[in-house]
Amino acid sequence: MTFYSVLEVTPTNDTWVADYIEPANRLVAQYGGKYLARTSSHERVEGEGGAPALRIIIEWPLRQAAIDFMNDEEYAPHLKARTAGSVSHHFLIEGKDDLAS
């Protein structure tokens, strides 16, 4: 079953960004993930709330691939830097329709 990581990221400083991109790209690919969107071009069309600087969507072949990526020892210092240098929200969403008849 396909899963999607949906992230909202607003950097509070950008000192971590340059060192984050290459390892994140490589490790996402290593775990079978594929970036569908990494963009500051987004708009709210319904509801209220904050406006994150970036929205990121990653497609994963399995839930475990996303979990393994997040728990990878090589990723750990980059995750720590990102969470320390940003306001981040990460949702893992199963690619299914619970409301389909």
Side-chain angles (χ1 to χ4, degrees):
M1 174 67 64
T2 302
F3 277 76
Y4 298 92
S5 284
V6 177
L7 294 95
E8 299 173 342
V9 179
T10 301
T12 54
N13 69 63
D14 61 0
T15 59
W16 58 274
V17 176
D19 293 332
Y20 181 90
I21 301 299
E22 188 280 325
N25 289 348
R26 182 171 34 79
L27 290 167
V28 164
Q30 178 181 315
Y31 286 99
K34 176 183 174 186
Y35 285 101
L36 300 181
R38 282 188 289 185
T39 184
S40 60
S41 300
H42 54 83
E43 64 183 282
R44 181 177 302 278
V45 294
E46 184 178 348
E48 297 179 21
L54 299 167
R55 296 212 186 247
I56 300 145
I57 303 171
I58 306 168
E59 180 180 77
W60 301 102
L62 302 166
R63 178 185 180 279
Q64 193 60 48
I67 299 303
D68 290 346
F69 164 74
M70 292 297 295
N71 291 326
D72 187 287
E73 289 181 15
E74 185 181 350
Y75 182 59
H78 303 290
L79 174 60
K80 183 177 179 180
R82 177 175 60 80
T83 56
S86 71
V87 175
S88 296
H89 302 279
H90 184 171
F91 305 89
L92 188 57
I93 301 168
E94 188 173 3
K96 66 177 187 171
D97 185 350
D98 287 335
L99 303 179
S101 34

